[in-house]
Each structure stands twice: as structure tokens, then as C-alpha cells.
Amino acid sequence: MKKDFIALTDFSSDELTGMLDLADRIKQSPQEFENALKGKTLGLIFNKKSTRTRISFQVGIFQLGGMGLFLGPEDMQLARGETISDTGKVLSRFLDGIMIRTFSHSDVLDLAKYASVPVINGLTDFNHPCQALADMMTIREKFGKLEGLKLAYVGDSNNVAVSLLFACVKFGLHISLVSPKGYTITKEALDMSREEAESKHLNIILTENVQEGVAGADIVYTDVWTSMGQEKEQQQRLNDLSGYTVNEQMMKGAGPKAVFMHCLPAHRGEEVSAPVIDGPASIVFDQAENRLHLQKAVMVSLMQ
Ligand code: CP
Ligand code: NVA
């Protein structure tokens, strides 16, 4: 049975830990895996822009002995109305896997339903699982563990926040989501994680209060205030989120060894101040690098 990678809630904690362990091995000795996907092809459908996801997947599949095919928004008949179901069935006759970045999460679910090859979610308006799993790899490298840590996510509780919530619950981290009214996490995401969080005695704190939210945090995480597709709301978002910039003052309120994380791209002076993202607590470029290693592990797990 093929397995897709669409949301972290589709996997057990053990399965996800297995992927982190594999990613660590791939990072340590990439040469061991240079033929792992020899001759295999991954289609990369991008309906939104990307720097990290596109390049790390293309380089990653190449380093595993396979080939990536970039399929931009105007490249396929999808742009002229061909259905997702026909596209999924046809691509499955040519490819060994499909990565898709798009707007509607249901399009990814549909593609996975009709494709007979694994589908990897490279970001939707709902979530961003590759990012959050790579972030867990980075946190484990820095702290030597995951369980019991506290992650404070500050700003717009968007697609990245949703996947971080799912990841925290899977790996035993407490999470506080610090957002003003109108920018809180979706009820759907909370409902998907509440039961498992309760059974593991994990705190999921939703608060508007920055001081309360970041107190004692090991990780302070933020993301852009205006995600792709929300450009028309930009001015309103700048106004509404103005008190939520992660700055040095806010970092002082977190734990003494707190690290700063951001999935990138970043907007200095909006969701984060330059001294924080460019300062000693920032691990944002390690996060970016680990996208490569972690996604290689995902591809090996799904496509071998
Ligand atoms: N973090 C992330 O997914 O970056 P890109 O949008 O550049 O792929
Ligand atoms: N929340 C951002 C993440 C980009 C990687 C967006 O969806 O645009």
C-alpha cells in the first residue's frame, strides 16, 4: 500500500521518530544513500513560489540517485482546467512520487486519492508538514531531546503553526500559540490534536499575551504575517499583528537558553527584529539546511 505524506497526524510518533533517525543518518553519511532512489522520478508541482522547498527537493532526489521534474503553475494542463483526478492518474503512469505545493488542502487530498504513487505535501493553506518535521530534527540536534521542551509560536497561527502543533503533540513538546484575535489557530487543527495531547499530558496554550506565552520557552518560533495568497490583506495584517514582533525584549522573557526559529522567508522589522534573527540565538539556517536531509528521509521512506 502506498503511503502519502500529507499531515503529521497521519503518522504515529514512532514512525515520525524513525524518519528523524533516518534523516540524521542521511545527514551524517549521504554517500550511503546515493543509490537509494536510483532511476526514480519525483514530479514537483508548484502553484506557489518557493526557494527552500523547491531546491531542497530537487537536490535531494538527485543526491539519492533519482531525478526531479519541476512543474510550475503554468506548465501543465491543470492550468487549463484538467482535473486533479485525471492529473493524478496520468502522473502515476510516469512518476514514482509527486510533491505538490498549492493553495487548497483538499486538492492535495484529492491528488493523493487518485494517484497510485506517494504524494508529498510541500505546503498548503492548511499545513506544512515537511517544514515542521525538519524543525523537530533541528530542535533535537540542538537540545539532544524533544520530549518535555516548550515551543512558543508567536504571530499569525497559520499553516506553519498548524504543522508545528501536530509535530509538538507527536514528539511530546508543550506548545503555546501566541496570537491576537482573528489570527488564532483553526479549530480543525486543534480538534485533530487535542485527544493525543491530553493523553500525553501536554499543554496547548492559546493566548494573546506575549509575556505569558513565551515565559519559560525553549524555542521561540515565528513566521510571516502575510502568507502566500493573502497579499491583499497585508496592510490590515501589519496593523493587527504589530505588537507581536519577536524582538530582544521578548527573547529575554523566554528561557535562558532559548533558541529562535523561523521557517523563512523572513521580513525583518515585521514578525522578527533583525538583531534576533541575525543574533546568536537564531538557528534559522540550520533549519533551512535540515529541510534537505529530512525530505531525503521522507522520499526514501515513501518511494523506495
Ligand atoms: N520554508 C519554506 O518552505 O520556504 P520556501 O517557501 O522557500 O520553500
Ligand atoms: N506561512 C507561509 C510559509 C512560507 C514557507 C506561507 O504560506 O506563505
Side-chain angles (χ1 to χ4, degrees), residues 153-158 178-184 210 222-227 230 233-246 250 269-272:
Y153 179 91
V154 181
D156 177 23
S157 287
N158 57 16
V178 191
S179 306
K181 275 197 192 69
Y183 295 87
T184 53
V210 171
T222 191
D223 182 20
V224 291
W225 291 344
T226 304
S227 285
Q230 299 173 332
E233 302 167 16
Q234 186 167 13
Q235 196 49 52
Q236 184 68 46
R237 289 174 163 270
L238 281 173
N239 295 342
D240 295 345
L241 287 148
S242 62
Y244 290 80
T245 305
V246 178
M250 202 190 288
E270 292 183 22
E271 75 275 5
V272 61

Side-chain angles (χ1 to χ4, degrees), residues 48 101 123 128 158-160 223-224 226-228 263-265:
K48 287 177 174 171
R101 165 171 287 196
L123 179 146
H128 194 3
N158 57 16
N159 46 3
V160 169
D223 182 20
V224 291
T226 304
S227 285
M228 291 179 277
C263 61
L264 303 178

